[in-house]
Amino acid sequence: MQLVIVSGGTSDPSSTRMLADRITARVLDRAAQAGVDADTSVIELRPLAAELASAQVTGFAPPAVAAAVATLAKADALIVATPVYKAGVSGLVKSFFDVVDQDLLIAVPTVLAATAGTSRHALVADEQLRSLLAYLRALTTPTSVFAAQEDWGTGGLADRIDRAAHELVVLAAADVRSAMRDAGTRYNRVFGGAAEGADEIEFDTDLMRLATGGPSAVPPVRPV
């Protein structure tokens, strides 16, 4: 199992990364108990801030963003952790998934996690982060993990982490991702993600030639 962790924390050290690390450790424990070998990769979004802005403006991913997306594409299981600002997910997290191809995460088991200074933001992971990953058709676990300042060190947080880790390992061990993708269901890729790169655009088509002001290879139909 290739476990990928996406952390949107902006400070160093980051409570968001700390929460992601705690979930990761529990997932690895659960995976070992289930006899599942697991490797981990971490995508820290803070160093990618400028490149993500460039990808959104230009429509093409700089090398650092392309490398992060390539790592994401290998995920058999995923943890997404975001800080909460002004009752919303981090702009870094939203910007990253804005440039990801919308079919990249189809049926990938995913744990959602969020941190905030107050429990008033407890629903952000389910109300905003879950809807974002649902649009990308990731398979989010029933349990999300939220941690306010007062939650650290409590049994309730540990219980939620354990439950989410168990759900993630169950889905990954059952290889739900491959089963869904290989079931004959047609998932239509929609071009437009900045992460795809210019080399994947098919320029030699009638539509692209017409769009750039050139002639179509198909002769025009003359009126009778």
Side-chain angles (χ1 to χ4, degrees):
M1 178 178 71
Q2 185 64 42
L3 175 65
V4 175
I5 301 95
V6 177
S7 174
T10 55
S11 59
D12 187 17
S14 163
S15 60
T16 301
R17 176 62 189 273
M18 289 171 59
L19 180 60
D21 287 346
R22 287 189 59 178
I23 298 170
T24 300
R26 194 64 190 125
V27 168
L28 294 178
D29 287 343
R30 284 283 190 173
Q33 293 170 13
V36 176
D37 293 329
D39 293 318
T40 62
S41 301
V42 179
I43 301 172
E44 280 280 6
L45 299 184
R46 183 169 64 96
L48 301 179
E51 287 84 354
L52 286 172
S54 174
Q56 287 188 303
V57 171
T58 64
F60 298 103
V65 174
V69 175
T71 298
L72 186 67
K74 299 175 183 177
D76 300 308
L78 180 65
I79 297 170
V80 180
T82 180
V84 177
Y85 299 117
K86 304 291 176 55
V89 300
S90 163
L92 277 177
V93 172
K94 182 63 167 65
S95 295
F96 179 62
F97 287 109
D98 278 347
V99 302
V100 168
D101 183 274
Q102 72 174 34
D103 290 345
L104 193 68
L105 297 178
I106 290 174
V108 175
T110 304
V111 169
L112 308 176
T115 59
T118 170
S119 58
R120 292 171 58 196
H121 300 303
L123 290 178
V124 168
D126 286 313
E127 194 271 330
Q128 295 189 27
L129 194 56
R130 192 178 297 276
S131 61
L132 173 61
L133 271 296
Y135 177 79
L136 296 173
R137 289 178 284 186
L139 189 61
T140 56
T141 59
T143 300
S144 61
V145 182
F146 173 81
Q149 288 181 349
E150 62 269 22
D151 291 322
W152 293 99
T154 65
L157 178 59
D159 289 343
R160 292 194 297 275
I161 289 174
D162 184 62
R163 189 163 62 247
H166 172 66
E167 293 166 356
L168 187 69
V169 171
V170 167
L171 291 170
D175 201 12
V176 173
R177 173 178 175 269
S178 296
M180 286 190 176
R181 291 188 177 191
D182 298 339
T185 304
R186 294 180 61 86
Y187 290 107
N188 297 318
R189 293 185 78 241
V190 177
F191 173 77
E196 295 183 80
D199 57 337
E200 296 188 20
I201 306 175
E202 180 56 64
F203 288 101
D204 191 24
T205 66
D206 290 334
L207 181 60
M208 290 301 291
R209 282 191 291 270
L210 290 172
T212 55
S216 168
V218 178
V221 177
R222 300 181 179 278
V224 178

mmCIF file of all heavy atoms in Angstrom, residues 110-163:
data_model
loop_
_atom_site.group_PDB
_atom_site.id
_atom_site.type_symbol
_atom_site.label_atom_id
_atom_site.label_comp_id
_atom_site.label_asym_id
_atom_site.label_seq_id
_atom_site.Cartn_x
_atom_site.Cartn_y
_atom_site.Cartn_z
ATOM 1 N N THR A 110 -9.565 7.684 1.483
ATOM 2 C CA THR A 110 -8.993 8.935 1.978
ATOM 3 C C THR A 110 -9.507 9.267 3.371
ATOM 4 O O THR A 110 -10.724 9.241 3.611
ATOM 5 C CB THR A 110 -9.351 10.099 1.024
ATOM 6 O OG1 THR A 110 -8.905 9.792 -0.295
ATOM 7 C CG2 THR A 110 -8.716 11.401 1.478
ATOM 8 N N VAL A 111 -8.583 9.614 4.262
ATOM 9 C CA VAL A 111 -8.941 10.141 5.579
ATOM 10 C C VAL A 111 -8.855 11.662 5.526
ATOM 11 O O VAL A 111 -7.866 12.219 5.024
ATOM 12 C CB VAL A 111 -8.000 9.612 6.682
ATOM 13 C CG1 VAL A 111 -8.223 10.376 7.994
ATOM 14 C CG2 VAL A 111 -8.232 8.130 6.914
ATOM 15 N N LEU A 112 -9.867 12.329 6.033
ATOM 16 C CA LEU A 112 -9.910 13.786 6.087
ATOM 17 C C LEU A 112 -9.567 14.244 7.490
ATOM 18 O O LEU A 112 -10.093 13.711 8.470
ATOM 19 C CB LEU A 112 -11.301 14.286 5.702
ATOM 20 C CG LEU A 112 -11.875 13.753 4.386
ATOM 21 C CD1 LEU A 112 -13.296 14.259 4.197
ATOM 22 C CD2 LEU A 112 -10.995 14.148 3.211
ATOM 23 N N ALA A 113 -8.693 15.251 7.592
ATOM 24 C CA ALA A 113 -8.283 15.753 8.907
ATOM 25 C C ALA A 113 -8.190 17.271 8.870
ATOM 26 O O ALA A 113 -7.858 17.865 7.831
ATOM 27 C CB ALA A 113 -6.937 15.157 9.314
ATOM 28 N N ALA A 114 -8.489 17.896 10.004
ATOM 29 C CA ALA A 114 -8.427 19.354 10.095
ATOM 30 C C ALA A 114 -8.031 19.762 11.506
ATOM 31 O O ALA A 114 -8.347 19.081 12.482
ATOM 32 C CB ALA A 114 -9.768 19.982 9.721
ATOM 33 N N THR A 115 -7.340 20.898 11.592
ATOM 34 C CA THR A 115 -6.972 21.463 12.888
ATOM 35 C C THR A 115 -7.450 22.903 12.954
ATOM 36 O O THR A 115 -7.537 23.589 11.934
ATOM 37 C CB THR A 115 -5.444 21.442 13.096
ATOM 38 O OG1 THR A 115 -4.800 22.195 12.047
ATOM 39 C CG2 THR A 115 -4.904 20.016 13.095
ATOM 40 N N ALA A 116 -7.736 23.363 14.167
ATOM 41 C CA ALA A 116 -8.185 24.743 14.368
ATOM 42 C C ALA A 116 -7.949 25.137 15.817
ATOM 43 O O ALA A 116 -7.696 24.277 16.675
ATOM 44 C CB ALA A 116 -9.665 24.901 14.008
ATOM 45 N N GLY A 117 -8.047 26.422 16.072
ATOM 46 C CA GLY A 117 -7.843 26.903 17.425
ATOM 47 C C GLY A 117 -9.037 26.719 18.324
ATOM 48 O O GLY A 117 -8.932 26.814 19.547
ATOM 49 N N THR A 118 -10.187 26.463 17.746
ATOM 50 C CA THR A 118 -11.407 26.324 18.526
ATOM 51 C C THR A 118 -12.301 25.256 17.926
ATOM 52 O O THR A 118 -12.288 25.030 16.699
ATOM 53 C CB THR A 118 -12.184 27.660 18.589
ATOM 54 O OG1 THR A 118 -13.474 27.447 19.163
ATOM 55 C CG2 THR A 118 -12.363 28.251 17.203
ATOM 56 N N SER A 119 -13.105 24.629 18.748
ATOM 57 C CA SER A 119 -14.019 23.580 18.283
ATOM 58 C C SER A 119 -15.177 24.139 17.467
ATOM 59 O O SER A 119 -15.972 23.374 16.918
ATOM 60 C CB SER A 119 -14.562 22.802 19.481
ATOM 61 O OG SER A 119 -15.219 23.671 20.386
ATOM 62 N N ARG A 120 -15.294 25.453 17.383
ATOM 63 C CA ARG A 120 -16.342 26.045 16.535
ATOM 64 C C ARG A 120 -16.183 25.625 15.081
ATOM 65 O O ARG A 120 -17.122 25.694 14.292
ATOM 66 C CB ARG A 120 -16.295 27.576 16.621
ATOM 67 C CG ARG A 120 -16.687 28.150 17.978
ATOM 68 C CD ARG A 120 -16.395 29.629 18.021
ATOM 69 N NE ARG A 120 -17.092 30.350 16.966
ATOM 70 C CZ ARG A 120 -16.775 31.587 16.576
ATOM 71 N NH1 ARG A 120 -15.742 32.207 17.117
ATOM 72 N NH2 ARG A 120 -17.477 32.189 15.632
ATOM 73 N N HIS A 121 -14.976 25.202 14.699
ATOM 74 C CA HIS A 121 -14.701 24.825 13.308
ATOM 75 C C HIS A 121 -14.779 23.321 13.090
ATOM 76 O O HIS A 121 -14.307 22.815 12.066
ATOM 77 C CB HIS A 121 -13.315 25.319 12.903
ATOM 78 C CG HIS A 121 -13.140 26.801 12.993
ATOM 79 N ND1 HIS A 121 -13.939 27.689 12.316
ATOM 80 C CD2 HIS A 121 -12.242 27.545 13.702
ATOM 81 C CE1 HIS A 121 -13.538 28.925 12.577
ATOM 82 N NE2 HIS A 121 -12.525 28.870 13.433
ATOM 83 N N ALA A 122 -15.374 22.606 14.002
ATOM 84 C CA ALA A 122 -15.321 21.146 13.974
ATOM 85 C C ALA A 122 -15.946 20.534 12.723
ATOM 86 O O ALA A 122 -15.596 19.416 12.341
ATOM 87 C CB ALA A 122 -16.006 20.581 15.219
ATOM 88 N N LEU A 123 -16.868 21.228 12.081
ATOM 89 C CA LEU A 123 -17.562 20.647 10.927
ATOM 90 C C LEU A 123 -16.887 20.952 9.586
ATOM 91 O O LEU A 123 -17.364 20.495 8.546
ATOM 92 C CB LEU A 123 -19.016 21.134 10.881
ATOM 93 C CG LEU A 123 -19.929 20.587 11.984
ATOM 94 C CD1 LEU A 123 -21.323 21.198 11.852
ATOM 95 C CD2 LEU A 123 -20.008 19.078 11.919
ATOM 96 N N VAL A 124 -15.791 21.710 9.611
ATOM 97 C CA VAL A 124 -15.173 22.108 8.349
ATOM 98 C C VAL A 124 -14.688 20.897 7.553
ATOM 99 O O VAL A 124 -14.853 20.831 6.331
ATOM 100 C CB VAL A 124 -14.020 23.095 8.597
ATOM 101 C CG1 VAL A 124 -13.186 23.289 7.332
ATOM 102 C CG2 VAL A 124 -14.569 24.429 9.073
ATOM 103 N N ALA A 125 -14.101 19.912 8.230
ATOM 104 C CA ALA A 125 -13.607 18.733 7.510
ATOM 105 C C ALA A 125 -14.729 18.026 6.770
ATOM 106 O O ALA A 125 -14.563 17.603 5.619
ATOM 107 C CB ALA A 125 -12.920 17.773 8.479
ATOM 108 N N ASP A 126 -15.885 17.894 7.407
ATOM 109 C CA ASP A 126 -17.003 17.192 6.771
ATOM 110 C C ASP A 126 -17.782 18.088 5.823
ATOM 111 O O ASP A 126 -18.264 17.628 4.785
ATOM 112 C CB ASP A 126 -17.942 16.641 7.848
ATOM 113 C CG ASP A 126 -17.360 15.429 8.552
ATOM 114 O OD1 ASP A 126 -16.864 14.521 7.863
ATOM 115 O OD2 ASP A 126 -17.388 15.398 9.790
ATOM 116 N N GLU A 127 -17.907 19.354 6.157
ATOM 117 C CA GLU A 127 -18.751 20.236 5.352
ATOM 118 C C GLU A 127 -18.040 20.756 4.109
ATOM 119 O O GLU A 127 -18.665 20.958 3.071
ATOM 120 C CB GLU A 127 -19.226 21.412 6.221
ATOM 121 C CG GLU A 127 -20.368 22.225 5.628
ATOM 122 C CD GLU A 127 -19.882 23.364 4.741
ATOM 123 O OE1 GLU A 127 -18.776 23.890 5.000
ATOM 124 O OE2 GLU A 127 -20.603 23.723 3.792
ATOM 125 N N GLN A 128 -16.713 20.956 4.191
ATOM 126 C CA GLN A 128 -15.986 21.530 3.060
ATOM 127 C C GLN A 128 -14.970 20.567 2.442
ATOM 128 O O GLN A 128 -14.962 20.367 1.234
ATOM 129 C CB GLN A 128 -15.285 22.821 3.492
ATOM 130 C CG GLN A 128 -16.246 23.929 3.876
ATOM 131 C CD GLN A 128 -15.549 25.250 4.086
ATOM 132 O OE1 GLN A 128 -14.502 25.533 3.516
ATOM 133 N NE2 GLN A 128 -16.135 26.075 4.927
ATOM 134 N N LEU A 129 -14.131 19.984 3.292
ATOM 135 C CA LEU A 129 -13.097 19.101 2.744
ATOM 136 C C LEU A 129 -13.708 17.845 2.135
ATOM 137 O O LEU A 129 -13.272 17.374 1.079
ATOM 138 C CB LEU A 129 -12.100 18.740 3.845
ATOM 139 C CG LEU A 129 -10.774 18.115 3.412
ATOM 140 C CD1 LEU A 129 -10.058 19.014 2.417
ATOM 141 C CD2 LEU A 129 -9.893 17.855 4.617
ATOM 142 N N ARG A 130 -14.755 17.310 2.769
ATOM 143 C CA ARG A 130 -15.386 16.105 2.221
ATOM 144 C C ARG A 130 -16.046 16.385 0.873
ATOM 145 O O ARG A 130 -15.987 15.555 -0.046
ATOM 146 C CB ARG A 130 -16.413 15.542 3.209
ATOM 147 C CG ARG A 130 -16.903 14.142 2.835
ATOM 148 C CD ARG A 130 -17.882 13.587 3.864
ATOM 149 N NE ARG A 130 -17.286 13.398 5.180
ATOM 150 C CZ ARG A 130 -16.595 12.327 5.539
ATOM 151 N NH1 ARG A 130 -16.379 11.349 4.667
ATOM 152 N NH2 ARG A 130 -16.109 12.227 6.761
ATOM 153 N N SER A 131 -16.664 17.545 0.729
ATOM 154 C CA SER A 131 -17.302 17.866 -0.549
ATOM 155 C C SER A 131 -16.265 18.063 -1.653
ATOM 156 O O SER A 131 -16.489 17.688 -2.806
ATOM 157 C CB SER A 131 -18.181 19.112 -0.411
ATOM 158 O OG SER A 131 -17.415 20.242 -0.033
ATOM 159 N N LEU A 132 -15.111 18.635 -1.310
ATOM 160 C CA LEU A 132 -14.039 18.807 -2.290
ATOM 161 C C LEU A 132 -13.532 17.461 -2.787
ATOM 162 O O LEU A 132 -13.402 17.233 -3.994
ATOM 163 C CB LEU A 132 -12.892 19.611 -1.667
ATOM 164 C CG LEU A 132 -11.615 19.744 -2.500
ATOM 165 C CD1 LEU A 132 -11.889 20.456 -3.814
ATOM 166 C CD2 LEU A 132 -10.540 20.478 -1.701
ATOM 167 N N LEU A 133 -13.262 16.543 -1.862
ATOM 168 C CA LEU A 133 -12.771 15.223 -2.270
ATOM 169 C C LEU A 133 -13.863 14.400 -2.934
ATOM 170 O O LEU A 133 -13.578 13.558 -3.794
ATOM 171 C CB LEU A 133 -12.207 14.491 -1.055
ATOM 172 C CG LEU A 133 -10.714 14.725 -0.734
ATOM 173 C CD1 LEU A 133 -9.828 14.202 -1.853
ATOM 174 C CD2 LEU A 133 -10.396 16.186 -0.476
ATOM 175 N N ALA A 134 -15.122 14.646 -2.571
ATOM 176 C CA ALA A 134 -16.224 13.958 -3.248
ATOM 177 C C ALA A 134 -16.304 14.386 -4.707
ATOM 178 O O ALA A 134 -16.589 13.566 -5.592
ATOM 179 C CB ALA A 134 -17.542 14.246 -2.538
ATOM 180 N N TYR A 135 -16.044 15.654 -4.978
ATOM 181 C CA TYR A 135 -16.037 16.119 -6.364
ATOM 182 C C TYR A 135 -14.960 15.398 -7.165
ATOM 183 O O TYR A 135 -15.159 15.072 -8.348
ATOM 184 C CB TYR A 135 -15.811 17.630 -6.424
ATOM 185 C CG TYR A 135 -15.726 18.154 -7.826
ATOM 186 C CD1 TYR A 135 -16.887 18.368 -8.582
ATOM 187 C CD2 TYR A 135 -14.495 18.402 -8.437
ATOM 188 C CE1 TYR A 135 -16.816 18.828 -9.889
ATOM 189 C CE2 TYR A 135 -14.410 18.854 -9.733
ATOM 190 C CZ TYR A 135 -15.576 19.060 -10.458
ATOM 191 O OH TYR A 135 -15.498 19.504 -11.755
ATOM 192 N N LEU A 136 -13.821 15.133 -6.518
ATOM 193 C CA LEU A 136 -12.735 14.408 -7.179
ATOM 194 C C LEU A 136 -12.971 12.900 -7.180
ATOM 195 O O LEU A 136 -12.150 12.144 -7.687
ATOM 196 C CB LEU A 136 -11.408 14.723 -6.480
ATOM 197 C CG LEU A 136 -10.970 16.188 -6.563
ATOM 198 C CD1 LEU A 136 -9.741 16.428 -5.688
ATOM 199 C CD2 LEU A 136 -10.688 16.594 -7.996
ATOM 200 N N ARG A 137 -14.081 12.467 -6.576
ATOM 201 C CA ARG A 137 -14.522 11.072 -6.527
ATOM 202 C C ARG A 137 -13.583 10.172 -5.728
ATOM 203 O O ARG A 137 -13.475 8.974 -5.983
ATOM 204 C CB ARG A 137 -14.755 10.528 -7.943
ATOM 205 C CG ARG A 137 -15.982 11.137 -8.592
ATOM 206 C CD ARG A 137 -16.198 10.643 -9.996
ATOM 207 N NE ARG A 137 -15.281 11.277 -10.924
ATOM 208 C CZ ARG A 137 -15.327 11.115 -12.243
ATOM 209 N NH1 ARG A 137 -16.248 10.330 -12.779
ATOM 210 N NH2 ARG A 137 -14.459 11.709 -13.034
ATOM 211 N N ALA A 138 -12.887 10.777 -4.755
ATOM 212 C CA ALA A 138 -12.136 9.966 -3.799
ATOM 213 C C ALA A 138 -13.127 9.272 -2.876
ATOM 214 O O ALA A 138 -14.264 9.720 -2.699
ATOM 215 C CB ALA A 138 -11.182 10.838 -2.991
ATOM 216 N N LEU A 139 -12.688 8.182 -2.275
ATOM 217 C CA LEU A 139 -13.559 7.398 -1.391
ATOM 218 C C LEU A 139 -13.191 7.750 0.053
ATOM 219 O O LEU A 139 -12.301 7.143 0.640
ATOM 220 C CB LEU A 139 -13.373 5.912 -1.669
ATOM 221 C CG LEU A 139 -14.350 4.955 -0.990
ATOM 222 C CD1 LEU A 139 -15.772 5.235 -1.432
ATOM 223 C CD2 LEU A 139 -13.971 3.518 -1.313
ATOM 224 N N THR A 140 -13.857 8.747 0.606
ATOM 225 C CA THR A 140 -13.508 9.214 1.946
ATOM 226 C C THR A 140 -14.053 8.273 3.016
ATOM 227 O O THR A 140 -15.142 7.714 2.882
ATOM 228 C CB THR A 140 -14.051 10.629 2.192
ATOM 229 O OG1 THR A 140 -15.467 10.652 1.971
ATOM 230 C CG2 THR A 140 -13.396 11.633 1.266
ATOM 231 N N THR A 141 -13.276 8.107 4.087
ATOM 232 C CA THR A 141 -13.706 7.244 5.185
ATOM 233 C C THR A 141 -14.861 7.900 5.932
ATOM 234 O O THR A 141 -14.968 9.123 5.970
ATOM 235 C CB THR A 141 -12.547 6.992 6.165
ATOM 236 O OG1 THR A 141 -12.085 8.251 6.690
ATOM 237 C CG2 THR A 141 -11.408 6.273 5.481
ATOM 238 N N PRO A 142 -15.741 7.101 6.542
ATOM 239 C CA PRO A 142 -16.858 7.683 7.301
ATOM 240 C C PRO A 142 -16.398 8.600 8.425
ATOM 241 O O PRO A 142 -17.059 9.596 8.724
ATOM 242 C CB PRO A 142 -17.587 6.451 7.851
ATOM 243 C CG PRO A 142 -17.229 5.342 6.916
ATOM 244 C CD PRO A 142 -15.834 5.629 6.475
ATOM 245 N N THR A 143 -15.266 8.277 9.055
ATOM 246 C CA THR A 143 -14.771 9.072 10.172
ATOM 247 C C THR A 143 -13.737 10.077 9.698
ATOM 248 O O THR A 143 -12.751 9.715 9.051
ATOM 249 C CB THR A 143 -14.122 8.164 11.239
ATOM 250 O OG1 THR A 143 -15.092 7.236 11.707
ATOM 251 C CG2 THR A 143 -13.612 8.986 12.413
ATOM 252 N N SER A 144 -13.968 11.353 9.994
ATOM 253 C CA SER A 144 -12.957 12.383 9.792
ATOM 254 C C SER A 144 -12.329 12.699 11.143
ATOM 255 O O SER A 144 -12.867 12.345 12.190
ATOM 256 C CB SER A 144 -13.573 13.643 9.176
ATOM 257 O OG SER A 144 -14.563 14.175 10.042
ATOM 258 N N VAL A 145 -11.185 13.382 11.115
ATOM 259 C CA VAL A 145 -10.469 13.675 12.354
ATOM 260 C C VAL A 145 -10.280 15.185 12.478
ATOM 261 O O VAL A 145 -9.607 15.799 11.637
ATOM 262 C CB VAL A 145 -9.096 12.977 12.401
ATOM 263 C CG1 VAL A 145 -8.415 13.262 13.734
ATOM 264 C CG2 VAL A 145 -9.243 11.475 12.192
ATOM 265 N N PHE A 146 -10.873 15.759 13.517
ATOM 266 C CA PHE A 146 -10.717 17.187 13.786
ATOM 267 C C PHE A 146 -10.052 17.362 15.150
ATOM 268 O O PHE A 146 -10.387 16.652 16.109
ATOM 269 C CB PHE A 146 -12.072 17.898 13.789
ATOM 270 C CG PHE A 146 -11.990 19.335 14.218
ATOM 271 C CD1 PHE A 146 -11.606 20.323 13.330
ATOM 272 C CD2 PHE A 146 -12.276 19.696 15.530
ATOM 273 C CE1 PHE A 146 -11.502 21.648 13.732
ATOM 274 C CE2 PHE A 146 -12.187 21.011 15.944
ATOM 275 C CZ PHE A 146 -11.799 21.991 15.045
ATOM 276 N N ALA A 147 -9.115 18.308 15.215
ATOM 277 C CA ALA A 147 -8.425 18.569 16.482
ATOM 278 C C ALA A 147 -8.363 20.067 16.743
ATOM 279 O O ALA A 147 -7.715 20.812 15.992
ATOM 280 C CB ALA A 147 -7.023 17.976 16.462
ATOM 281 N N ALA A 148 -9.060 20.511 17.788
ATOM 282 C CA ALA A 148 -8.903 21.867 18.296
ATOM 283 C C ALA A 148 -7.809 21.845 19.357
ATOM 284 O O ALA A 148 -7.294 20.779 19.732
ATOM 285 C CB ALA A 148 -10.219 22.362 18.878
ATOM 286 N N GLN A 149 -7.453 23.014 19.861
ATOM 287 C CA GLN A 149 -6.373 23.089 20.847
ATOM 288 C C GLN A 149 -6.648 22.209 22.060
ATOM 289 O O GLN A 149 -5.754 21.562 22.592
ATOM 290 C CB GLN A 149 -6.163 24.540 21.278
ATOM 291 C CG GLN A 149 -5.521 25.412 20.208
ATOM 292 C CD GLN A 149 -5.298 26.828 20.687
ATOM 293 O OE1 GLN A 149 -5.790 27.240 21.746
ATOM 294 N NE2 GLN A 149 -4.557 27.597 19.902
ATOM 295 N N GLU A 150 -7.909 22.194 22.494
ATOM 296 C CA GLU A 150 -8.238 21.443 23.700
ATOM 297 C C GLU A 150 -8.311 19.935 23.481
ATOM 298 O O GLU A 150 -8.449 19.165 24.442
ATOM 299 C CB GLU A 150 -9.568 21.931 24.281
ATOM 300 C CG GLU A 150 -10.769 21.745 23.371
ATOM 301 C CD GLU A 150 -11.042 22.940 22.482
ATOM 302 O OE1 GLU A 150 -10.099 23.724 22.246
ATOM 303 O OE2 GLU A 150 -12.195 23.087 22.020
ATOM 304 N N ASP A 151 -8.219 19.481 22.227
ATOM 305 C CA ASP A 151 -8.347 18.049 21.941
ATOM 306 C C ASP A 151 -7.039 17.283 22.086
ATOM 307 O O ASP A 151 -7.053 16.065 22.284
ATOM 308 C CB ASP A 151 -8.875 17.834 20.520
ATOM 309 C CG ASP A 151 -10.321 18.270 20.363
ATOM 310 O OD1 ASP A 151 -11.090 18.046 21.299
ATOM 311 O OD2 ASP A 151 -10.655 18.844 19.309
ATOM 312 N N TRP A 152 -5.920 17.984 21.993
ATOM 313 C CA TRP A 152 -4.637 17.294 22.015
ATOM 314 C C TRP A 152 -4.431 16.608 23.359
ATOM 315 O O TRP A 152 -4.623 17.186 24.416
ATOM 316 C CB TRP A 152 -3.500 18.276 21.748
ATOM 317 C CG TRP A 152 -3.549 18.818 20.351
ATOM 318 C CD1 TRP A 152 -4.059 20.013 19.950
ATOM 319 C CD2 TRP A 152 -3.094 18.165 19.165
ATOM 320 N NE1 TRP A 152 -3.950 20.159 18.592
ATOM 321 C CE2 TRP A 152 -3.355 19.047 18.085
ATOM 322 C CE3 TRP A 152 -2.484 16.938 18.915
ATOM 323 C CZ2 TRP A 152 -3.029 18.723 16.767
ATOM 324 C CZ3 TRP A 152 -2.157 16.616 17.605
ATOM 325 C CH2 TRP A 152 -2.426 17.506 16.549
ATOM 326 N N GLY A 153 -4.060 15.351 23.298
ATOM 327 C CA GLY A 153 -3.824 14.590 24.508
ATOM 328 C C GLY A 153 -5.056 13.953 25.106
ATOM 329 O O GLY A 153 -4.970 13.283 26.133
ATOM 330 N N THR A 154 -6.214 14.121 24.467
ATOM 331 C CA THR A 154 -7.444 13.538 24.993
ATOM 332 C C THR A 154 -7.689 12.170 24.380
ATOM 333 O O THR A 154 -7.236 11.865 23.268
ATOM 334 C CB THR A 154 -8.649 14.442 24.707
ATOM 335 O OG1 THR A 154 -8.866 14.510 23.283
ATOM 336 C CG2 THR A 154 -8.421 15.851 25.257
ATOM 337 N N GLY A 155 -8.447 11.361 25.095
ATOM 338 C CA GLY A 155 -8.794 10.045 24.585
ATOM 339 C C GLY A 155 -9.719 10.103 23.389
ATOM 340 O O GLY A 155 -9.681 9.233 22.516
ATOM 341 N N GLY A 156 -10.547 11.145 23.324
ATOM 342 C CA GLY A 156 -11.478 11.269 22.202
ATOM 343 C C GLY A 156 -10.762 11.413 20.876
ATOM 344 O O GLY A 156 -11.155 10.800 19.873
ATOM 345 N N LEU A 157 -9.696 12.219 20.845
ATOM 346 C CA LEU A 157 -8.935 12.380 19.610
ATOM 347 C C LEU A 157 -8.259 11.073 19.227
ATOM 348 O O LEU A 157 -8.270 10.673 18.054
ATOM 349 C CB LEU A 157 -7.891 13.485 19.772
ATOM 350 C CG LEU A 157 -6.980 13.730 18.559
ATOM 351 C CD1 LEU A 157 -7.793 14.092 17.324
ATOM 352 C CD2 LEU A 157 -5.955 14.824 18.877
ATOM 353 N N ALA A 158 -7.683 10.392 20.194
ATOM 354 C CA ALA A 158 -7.034 9.112 19.919
ATOM 355 C C ALA A 158 -8.030 8.094 19.369
ATOM 356 O O ALA A 158 -7.706 7.331 18.444
ATOM 357 C CB ALA A 158 -6.376 8.574 21.193
ATOM 358 N N ASP A 159 -9.246 8.105 19.897
ATOM 359 C CA ASP A 159 -10.269 7.174 19.412
ATOM 360 C C ASP A 159 -10.651 7.477 17.971
ATOM 361 O O ASP A 159 -10.814 6.561 17.152
ATOM 362 C CB ASP A 159 -11.513 7.244 20.297
ATOM 363 C CG ASP A 159 -11.298 6.636 21.671
ATOM 364 O OD1 ASP A 159 -10.306 5.887 21.829
ATOM 365 O OD2 ASP A 159 -12.102 6.903 22.577
ATOM 366 N N ARG A 160 -10.800 8.752 17.638
ATOM 367 C CA ARG A 160 -11.166 9.127 16.266
ATOM 368 C C ARG A 160 -10.050 8.763 15.296
ATOM 369 O O ARG A 160 -10.315 8.291 14.178
ATOM 370 C CB ARG A 160 -11.478 10.622 16.192
ATOM 371 C CG ARG A 160 -12.740 11.035 16.930
ATOM 372 C CD ARG A 160 -13.194 12.434 16.550
ATOM 373 N NE ARG A 160 -12.229 13.464 16.909
ATOM 374 C CZ ARG A 160 -12.139 14.043 18.098
ATOM 375 N NH1 ARG A 160 -12.944 13.650 19.078
ATOM 376 N NH2 ARG A 160 -11.253 14.993 18.327
ATOM 377 N N ILE A 161 -8.815 8.987 15.705
ATOM 378 C CA ILE A 161 -7.678 8.627 14.849
ATOM 379 C C ILE A 161 -7.660 7.124 14.595
ATOM 380 O O ILE A 161 -7.469 6.672 13.453
ATOM 381 C CB ILE A 161 -6.358 9.092 15.499
ATOM 382 C CG1 ILE A 161 -6.259 10.616 15.448
ATOM 383 C CG2 ILE A 161 -5.155 8.453 14.808
ATOM 384 C CD1 ILE A 161 -5.070 11.179 16.200
ATOM 385 N N ASP A 162 -7.861 6.352 15.643
ATOM 386 C CA ASP A 162 -7.844 4.893 15.495
ATOM 387 C C ASP A 162 -8.971 4.409 14.596
ATOM 388 O O ASP A 162 -8.771 3.531 13.741
ATOM 389 C CB ASP A 162 -7.952 4.234 16.868
ATOM 390 C CG ASP A 162 -7.848 2.714 16.776
ATOM 391 O OD1 ASP A 162 -6.796 2.215 16.328
ATOM 392 O OD2 ASP A 162 -8.829 2.034 17.126
ATOM 393 N N ARG A 163 -10.155 4.988 14.766
ATOM 394 C CA ARG A 163 -11.299 4.565 13.960
ATOM 395 C C ARG A 163 -11.080 4.912 12.482
ATOM 396 O O ARG A 163 -11.346 4.097 11.587
ATOM 397 C CB ARG A 163 -12.575 5.227 14.487
ATOM 398 C CG ARG A 163 -13.853 4.681 13.853
ATOM 399 C CD ARG A 163 -15.075 5.054 14.669
ATOM 400 N NE ARG A 163 -15.276 6.494 14.766
ATOM 401 C CZ ARG A 163 -15.167 7.206 15.892
ATOM 402 N NH1 ARG A 163 -14.839 6.608 17.025
ATOM 403 N NH2 ARG A 163 -15.372 8.505 15.896
#
